[in-house]
Amino acid sequence: MKLLILGGTKFLGRHLVEVALAGGHEVTLFNRGQNNPDLFPEVEKLRGDRDGGLDALRGRRWDAVVDTSGYVPRVVRASAEMLAESVGMYVFISSMSVYADFGQPNDEDSPVGTLEDENVEEITGETYGPLKALCEQAAEATMPGRVLNVRAGLIVGPFDPTSRFPYWTARAARGGEVLAPAPPDRQVQLIDARDLSEWILRMLAEGRAGVFNACGPVYRLTMQGFLEACRDASASDARFTWAGEQFLLDAGVEPWSELPLWLPESAEKHRYFLASNCDKAFAAGLAFRPLAETARDTLAWQKAGTPAPVKDGVQIADETMKPERERELLKAWHDRED
């Protein structure tokens, strides 16, 4: 296939390019050239800006476009309109965050979040999901029946620009006593960016459009199973101390950011954020490598020297728990038990 990728040099897009090239596909990148511009010297690169600078796409044809960098419906609509006569399919990388709430496991028919003012373009924790939902709708309205909306869950693996998954691989590798959020049997979901990339390309090859939740694994992964896989990846002596939810909240631990993948069960609206129904994607061939392999590869990337994440030219602060803070909390937890 001839593929156009909007973005393609950071995380998911980077893996998508690598998988596509390995599969013999012809790839063109369209971006501003601000992130890793020297990557993929063998690939055609078109420069421009999605917000008002799409001229480089004019008069070209591709079999499909993959939009890895759409966050604002107006901008996604402009890209879809420009490419409607130039591509066969439009893949929009959406998010599980589109759903209105997570008080129950969501499937593709669950209600999505809405905005009072649909012209809002500022991306915050409250607007991110509804804006992604509006982006899906904008693409589908422009290219009806030709859009694959991929509602991805937590994407992980090498080149992850966040500290969510890498926090746990690095922490498990350090070994010793590890503060872990109880209960250990709480479900978590994630997907290796390479597995997601391979599935997207298979869906394109089959001409499959529609809306799909895309996360995994196919079995019920628990927080304990996840942390044990991270420990196995480094063969460390890490041992997990499961601190109770109320203790963590009383200590002011920030869910998700300071202690990644932890969402308090008492927060009903977010209880099933990492437990969406992905059966539709499983039936469409979404498959997963072993979690330990993802953890090993991520850890190897970290040991090779992970660049600090940057957004719009500004380094993103690492908000995850620091070792001294963890030691204090572990002591307080044990003192409480005594």
Side-chain angles (χ1 to χ4, degrees):
M1 293 180 288
K2 291 183 63 176
L3 301 174
L4 170 66
I5 298 177
L6 306 181
T9 58
K10 294 176 73 175
F11 182 31
L12 175 61
R14 181 173 183 161
H15 287 294
L16 189 64
V17 173
E18 290 178 348
V19 172
L21 293 176
H25 302 294
E26 182 181 334
V27 177
T28 299
L29 300 183
F30 175 84
N31 54 51
R32 294 174 297 176
Q34 295 184 355
N35 294 290
N36 303 312
D38 297 326
L39 270 181
F40 309 119
E42 71 275 36
V43 167
E44 179 186 30
K45 298 170 185 175
L46 303 179
R47 299 297 185 217
D49 193 320
R50 296 195 56 177
D51 193 356
L54 297 171
D55 287 346
L57 303 178
R58 201 177 303 277
R60 299 290 303 274
R61 301 189 81 74
W62 294 273
D63 295 309
V65 56
V66 183
D67 184 347
T68 69
S69 57
Y71 300 95
V72 175
R74 173 182 58 82
V75 175
V76 171
R77 185 178 300 107
S79 300
E81 288 174 348
M82 169 67 77
L83 295 166
E85 303 301 322
S86 304
V87 301
M89 286 187 64
Y90 195 108
V91 180
F92 179 68
I93 305 302
S94 188
S95 169
M96 293 286 195
S97 297
V98 298
Y99 294 111
D101 71 67
F102 296 87
Q104 67 289 314
N106 289 300
D107 62 23
E108 290 82 357
D109 294 323
S110 299
V112 298
T114 59
L115 295 171
E116 280 190 29
D117 180 3
E118 293 189 352
N119 293 313
V120 167
E121 296 190 351
E122 181 183 4
I123 301 170
T124 66
E126 289 70 37
T127 66
Y128 173 78
L131 284 173
K132 278 286 193 179
L134 290 171
C135 288
E136 291 181 7
Q137 296 162 24
E140 180 63 27
T142 306
M143 297 177 60
R146 294 191 286 151
V147 178
L148 173 61
N149 278 310
V150 179
R151 292 176 178 170
L154 182 66
I155 305 174
V156 301
F159 308 112
D160 186 346
T162 76
S163 300
R164 295 173 301 205
F165 186 76
Y167 169 80
W168 290 114
T169 51
R171 179 61 195 90
R174 289 207 312 271
E177 186 180 17
V178 178
L179 181 70
D185 64 349
R186 181 171 50 88
Q187 185 177 359
V188 296
Q189 283 180 318
L190 44 81
I191 185 168
D192 191 302
R194 297 164 293 185
D195 295 332
L196 184 58
S197 298
E198 290 168 1
W199 178 72
I200 288 170
L201 290 172
R202 287 198 300 271
M203 294 290 280
L204 283 176
E206 296 170 7
R208 299 281 295 273
V211 179
F212 292 81
N213 288 343
C215 205
V218 294
Y219 60 90
R220 187 181 186 277
L221 176 66
T222 65
M223 190 68 183
Q224 181 173 0
F226 163 70
L227 292 182
E228 288 174 350
C230 290
R231 178 182 61 195
D232 294 346
S234 62
S236 78
D237 65 348
R239 60 191 186 280
F240 306 109
T241 295
W242 297 94
E245 176 178 301
Q246 196 57 52
F247 168 83
L248 295 173
L249 290 172
D250 290 345
V253 176
E254 287 293 330
W256 196 255
S257 55
E258 191 176 12
L259 206 55
L261 277 67
W262 172 54
L263 290 168
E265 293 193 326
S266 57
E268 286 285 339
K269 188 176 180 181
H270 301 290
R271 175 171 289 189
Y272 292 97
F273 184 73
L274 295 176
S276 292
N277 185 325
C278 299
D279 288 348
K280 185 179 176 183
F282 299 160
L286 181 59
F288 307 90
R289 69 196 63 212
L291 177 56
E293 179 181 334
T294 300
R296 279 196 302 271
D297 292 348
T298 302
L299 188 59
W301 165 69
Q302 290 174 282
K303 289 181 176 179
T306 309
V310 173
K311 182 177 181 180
D312 297 328
V314 179
Q315 183 173 328
I316 301 173
D318 181 0
E319 298 177 341
T320 56
M321 188 171 291
K322 304 301 182 286
E324 57 274 17
R325 164 84 157 148
E326 182 188 35
R327 288 193 293 270
E328 291 171 1
L329 289 171
L330 284 168
K331 182 178 185 305
W333 175 255
H334 292 306
D335 289 346
R336 177 181 176 277
E337 289 179 327
D338 294 338

